[in-house]
Amino acid sequence: MGHADGITSMARREDLRLITGNGRYSADWNFADQLHAVFLRADRAHADIVGLDASRALAHPGVKAVLTGDDARAAGFKSLPNIVSYPGKDGQPIRKPFHPVLAMGRVRYVGEPVAMIVADTQAIAEDARELIDVEYRDLAAVTSFEDATKDGAPQLHENVPGNLAFEFESGDAAAVEAAFAQAAHVSTLTVDSQRLVGNALEPRACLVAFDASSGAYTMHVPLQGVGGMKGQLAHVSGVDKEKITLVAQDVGGSFGVRGGAYPEYFAAMLAARKLGRPIKWVASRTETFMSDCHGRALSLTGELALDADGRFLAIRWNDRADLGAYGGPFGSFIATKNLTVTIGGVYRIPAMYAATRLAYTNTVPISAYRGAGRPDMAYAIERLVDYAAHEHGFDPIELRRRNFIAPDAMPYQTPNAGAYDSGDFRAVMEDALERADWDGYPERRIESQRIGKLRGIGIATYLEAGGGGAAPKDEVAVEFDARGEMTLYAVTQSSGQGHETVFPQIVAETLGIYPANIRFHPSPPTADLVGNGTGGSRGVLGTGSAFLVLARKLIELARPHAAATLGVTEAELNYAQGAFHVVQASGEPAKHSVGFVDLARSLAGPRPHPLDTTAEGVFGTTYPNGCHIAEVEIDPDTGTATIERYTAVDDLGTVINPTLVAGQVHGGVMQGAGQVFGEKAVYDPETGQLLTASFADYFMPHAGLLRNIDVHEHPVPTPTNALGAKGVGEAGCSGSLPALVNATVDALRPLGIKHLDMPFTPARVWAAIERTKSGEEASDAATQ
């Protein structure tokens, strides 16, 4: 399966529909008799609810209901999900507070839903919301891990002493301690991966209809995969999964933020059942800031031990994770298993250990955000390696070369977690160095100096784990119509990845037919398929591999029908170029043949079609990796940084569609650039108010931020799935965070600045430069 020629060059099918305004997102669905809902949200970070009076709102014309936590309790709703069930340090269980659909007795973050107002129109519901009287007893709030874990800090949950949710460890602490005792050099660095707001292009929305005769729900919600969303909805509500139908045509971005079932969905289920009419809710952009799960919110302290020649002996991490008020469905998993699976990156490090502590704060819950802990660890590793190189006088490139895991060591068992399946890390880096013209950089730096600018170059040789999933396998299905055309089905949901293009392409290329005869739909109508959605960059490597298995199965299913049509035995047939050919005794194919599409058309009749079938596969974790190199220029008078050059060389395994891959890499690099140069969710530490609750205060990356990007592939196919693909969705973030930060710090290093934390806003950079002029220490997170 290559990408040099043939049908693999097909363009995205989705684009025409989407760019002409014919996409259909969750807010675009309607029922004739629907009611409209809005939410009253907490306007303070921490308070007891002393009383709630909705009588004036209920008396308002057009209002149908006001639902509160009491209604959710009476309905028997369970706590919203938190997927961690494994033990932590010394066997301790995670402390999971009850996460209600609507606040019960106390609010714990600004934006938490307190009541749902249902009315004939959204405007009426919004007016009625103003008529609800809530009496609060204010409590002190904490908005950071450090404040939440101090002695005497305000307690968020009765069952979580000291607000400490979990302690987790991975690796061999004793072996690491012994290695550090023998080290000639040790470097220590703390990096923060700041809290971010996911801000998908499409605000969240839901439309829920309830059929009283069957007890079934039809729900239109943005999601990443049918299986995961349905499972969460069923678990919390107590409704059988078979009675929940999920509908989503287009999803305007997810990045993990759309992977969980939110409180609003359950409240809409309850209202639809109580009132017997469909319920529609559409979030405002400000609600998106205050109620969609946030991402990142991690602080990582790394220590690297080296011998006198610069060989890595051991690495040790002490990490801290802010979970928000409850922890989103995946927040605790991200801060533990996801964060520690690749703590050594692409390097051979004999001893490794990581310890992570997780705490609850009076902020929006944390969950998955593009990469979900893996870009944060890649950033921390590559930042620490660069820091160590400069601290101890090693060349950053040579230091990496000296410590890469060699290709002949694959599969490489890491000291603390899984086994890397494949990779040639040095070859990828050498490829990137040449493409980025690393040797020509000094001249470009001189040119920048001539115009009064600071210029830096940064490199990152990242690795991440991809393709994990909760489902035991990936299943897909196909159905044929009367014209012999096929529709493919899977439970994965595109949020921009191009599933309508790539899945038909895989099947078409395997069958040797044109993809025009093939469609993809994410919701199977006749089979309850199992699958893992798109989480962990799994779309192509999991679902795509299953479609490859399906295509091969179709050839064998069609073989007896082709033999009957041609009047020969199956042994006399050869399949090639989209057709079954009768093979002559000499071995040469005869002219007597039947095409696959023609055969499928001839077999059409009463449903099911003889070729309708399913296929499945169990596909393991993969390790996408790459080398990204960035050049950044800084205006010292304003602190403004610009990305002058960016080169990405990625080992993503087998590449199916280069256009889609380039788009994914571009998007990931841009999201990384947003975090590096501006994005940060800021809370007032005293009141817990979100100070960046709109784009007036929260940085939005724009196209001009990344004007010169060069993307290349260096594929080393993985043996862990049928396609050999490794996944691409999160690679751009994993490479861009450390490459851009290393470049920016390199530009500032001549001034004596050894480290700064993200985001590199003009004000932050300018202040650091000004401090150097007065002889102050400008670095703000390094342990010197």
Side-chain angles (χ1 to χ4, degrees):
M1 185 85 56
H3 63 271
D5 52 25
I7 58 175
T8 52
S9 60
M10 66 181 287
R12 280 174 51 102
R13 289 178 167 180
E14 300 90 337
D15 288 352
L16 180 62
R17 181 179 79 246
L18 299 176
I19 65 175
T20 56
N22 291 307
R24 198 170 191 188
Y25 300 90
S26 295
D28 295 324
W29 297 87
N30 293 286
F31 291 117
D33 58 343
Q34 69 194 22
L35 296 170
H36 296 264
V38 301
F39 286 88
L40 174 67
R41 299 184 181 275
D43 61 358
R44 58 208 67 199
H46 200 195
D48 289 328
I49 301 174
V50 178
L52 188 153
D53 183 359
S55 57
R56 291 195 301 149
L58 287 167
H60 191 68
V63 172
K64 303 301 181 184
V66 175
L67 303 182
T68 67
D70 290 338
D71 297 288
R73 181 187 291 111
F77 284 165
K78 299 176 184 176
S79 174
L80 269 66
N82 178 329
I83 68 169
V84 169
S85 59
Y86 46 82
K89 184 178 181 181
D90 300 325
Q92 66 177 267
I94 188 171
R95 298 180 180 94
K96 299 181 184 180
F98 189 88
H99 187 174
V101 169
L102 296 168
M104 295 180 180
R106 179 177 288 190
V107 295
R108 293 178 173 86
Y109 66 94
V110 174
E112 182 170 5
V114 174
M116 179 192 211
I117 303 93
V118 184
D120 288 329
T121 68
Q122 181 176 332
I124 292 173
E126 289 173 348
D127 288 343
R129 178 171 55 193
E130 303 302 316
L131 302 177
I132 298 176
D133 297 311
V134 184
E135 181 182 354
Y136 290 109
R137 182 188 301 114
D138 288 330
L139 302 169
V142 287
T143 60
S144 68
F145 177 95
E146 290 74 18
D147 288 343
T149 54
K150 286 179 180 176
D151 290 340
Q155 180 101 359
L156 270 73
H157 306 281
E158 291 182 1
N159 65 330
V160 187
N163 299 318
L164 194 64
F166 201 39
E167 293 179 275
F168 181 82
E169 62 180 354
S170 177
D172 189 334
V176 167
E177 186 65 33
F180 269 85
Q182 302 298 318
H185 306 290
V186 172
S187 285
T188 302
L189 183 69
T190 295
V191 300
D192 289 337
S193 186
Q194 71 271 28
R195 175 183 285 260
L196 304 177
V197 181
N199 264 320
L201 187 62
E202 174 195 14
R204 271 192 308 120
C206 68
L207 176 62
V208 180
F210 176 70
D211 181 5
S213 63
S214 63
Y217 293 85
T218 299
M219 304 183 65
H220 299 261
V221 296
L223 44 79
Q224 283 192 192
V226 172
M229 180 65 74
K230 187 179 290 189
Q232 293 179 50
L233 292 169
H235 173 75
V236 174
S237 68
V239 176
D240 192 295
K241 285 196 295 184
E242 304 302 318
K243 293 187 178 295
I244 300 174
T245 298
L246 296 176
V247 181
Q249 176 176 300
D250 296 310
V251 176
S254 177
F255 315 113
V257 180
R258 298 291 185 261
Y262 283 86
E264 294 87 354
Y265 306 164
F266 299 103
M269 291 175 72
L270 178 57
R273 189 175 71 204
K274 278 179 168 286
L275 299 174
R277 291 172 63 180
I279 306 296
K280 183 173 184 177
W281 167 73
V282 180
S284 68
R285 180 56 64 181
T286 296
E287 282 184 295
T288 294
F289 276 92
M290 295 195 305
S291 65
D292 281 19
C293 286
H294 290 178
R296 309 294 192 231
L298 295 163
S299 182
L300 299 85
T301 298
E303 299 173 88
L304 183 63
L306 305 86
D307 69 13
D309 295 323
R311 299 198 182 277
F312 299 162
L313 303 176
I315 196 166
R316 179 165 52 202
W317 297 99
N318 178 13
D319 306 329
R320 297 153 300 284
D322 175 357
L323 293 178
Y326 300 97
F330 310 109
S332 304
F333 179 80
I334 291 163
T336 52
K337 289 290 185 72
N338 257 22
L339 196 63
T340 59
V341 69
T342 55
I343 58 174
V346 295
Y347 307 108
R348 182 184 288 275
I349 306 179
M352 300 193 296
Y353 176 75
T356 307
R357 292 178 295 153
L358 291 64
Y360 296 113
T361 65
N362 293 114
T363 59
V364 172
I366 292 289
S367 194
Y369 175 81
R370 200 164 191 164
R374 289 160 303 203
D376 313 83
M377 181 51 69
Y379 162 54
I381 293 168
E382 287 302 292
R383 191 68 203 96
L384 177 60
V385 168
D386 233 51
Y387 185 83
H390 290 284
E391 184 177 29
H392 301 299
F394 295 105
D395 178 85
I397 303 301
E398 288 303 322
L399 189 63
R400 287 174 168 86
R401 287 185 179 125
R402 194 166 300 171
N403 289 284
F404 280 141
I405 300 166
D408 58 12
M410 300 295 175
Y412 175 76
Q413 178 61 52
T414 65
N416 75 307
Y420 299 169
D421 54 275
S422 61
D424 190 342
F425 308 135
R426 177 165 181 166
V428 169
M429 186 182 76
E430 302 297 345
D431 190 356
L433 290 171
E434 182 177 352
R435 294 182 185 278
D437 186 24
W438 182 275
D439 291 340
Y441 166 72
E443 293 183 10
R444 295 190 292 276
R445 188 170 200 169
I446 292 172
E447 287 301 314
S448 294
Q449 290 171 343
R450 285 174 180 166
I451 58 173
K453 302 292 181 65
L454 304 170
R455 193 179 185 111
I457 191 168
I459 187 170
T461 48
Y462 77 91
L463 174 140
E464 58 156 353
K473 57 187 176 182
D474 288 281
E475 290 182 317
V476 296
V478 62
E479 291 185 355
F480 288 78
D481 62 19
R483 296 170 297 180
E485 297 183 355
M486 63 183 88
T487 301
L488 308 176
Y489 296 100
V491 296
T492 189
Q493 174 69 48
S494 175
S495 53
Q497 294 91 337
H499 291 175
E500 292 174 46
T501 301
V502 71
F503 294 149
Q505 179 181 336
I506 291 169
V507 173
E509 186 169 342
T510 306
L511 293 176
I513 64 176
Y514 287 107
N517 298 301
I518 309 173
R519 298 176 298 277
F520 170 74
H521 198 280
S523 298
T526 59
D528 188 14
L529 300 178
V530 173
N532 288 286
T534 58
S537 300
R538 191 178 175 84
V540 165
L541 70 89
T543 306
S545 287
F547 276 125
L548 177 61
V549 174
L550 177 83
R552 291 169 176 169
K553 182 178 179 180
L554 281 173
I555 294 172
E556 298 312 310
L557 283 176
R559 189 177 298 276
H561 299 287
T565 299
L566 296 172
V568 297
T569 66
E570 294 180 40
E572 296 177 86
L573 292 178
N574 178 55
Y575 188 84
Q577 297 180 330
F580 289 95
H581 304 271
V582 178
V583 179
Q584 297 176 334
S586 64
E588 293 295 323
K591 295 181 180 179
H592 199 32
S593 64
V594 60
F596 183 90
V597 175
D598 292 335
L599 179 64
R601 187 178 297 120
S602 72
L603 295 173
R607 305 294 294 271
H609 191 282
L611 298 183
D612 289 355
T613 191
T614 62
E616 64 182 53
V618 178
F619 310 110
T621 300
T622 68
Y623 293 88
N625 61 89
C627 180
H628 288 202
I629 297 174
E631 293 185 33
V632 169
E633 195 174 71
I634 297 173
D635 182 341
D637 294 329
T638 65
T640 301
T642 58
I643 304 169
E644 294 300 311
R645 293 163 64 100
Y646 197 97
T647 303
V649 175
D650 298 295
D651 168 16
L652 308 170
T654 303
V655 172
I656 310 302
N657 187 308
T659 301
L660 297 182
V661 164
Q664 288 284 304
V665 174
H666 285 192
V669 171
M670 178 61 87
Q671 278 187 260
Q675 180 174 357
V676 171
F677 293 111
E679 290 189 59
K680 184 177 183 179
V682 180
Y683 280 90
D684 183 288
E686 298 297 325
T687 65
Q689 293 291 331
L690 180 60
L691 302 180
T692 52
S694 76
F695 283 119
D697 301 297
Y698 189 90
F699 178 81
M700 178 190 285
H702 52 84
L705 184 62
L706 187 65
R707 293 171 292 181
N708 185 3
I709 181 171
D710 199 14
V711 175
H712 301 277
E713 305 142 16
H714 193 112
V716 180
T718 174
T720 64
N721 62 68
L723 286 169
K726 292 181 178 177
V728 60
E730 293 147 332
C733 269
S734 296
S736 62
L737 290 180
L740 289 168
V741 172
N742 282 341
T744 306
V745 173
D746 185 61
L748 297 170
R749 188 175 289 110
L751 304 181
I753 298 173
K754 300 176 182 178
H755 180 72
L756 285 177
D757 265 320
M758 304 180 288
F760 292 109
T761 61
R764 186 182 186 87
V765 173
W766 179 85
I769 293 171
E770 290 300 302
R771 287 198 299 271
T772 66
K773 294 177 180 179
S774 60
E776 297 179 45
E777 172 59 61
S779 300
D780 64 4
T783 301
Q784 305 296 334

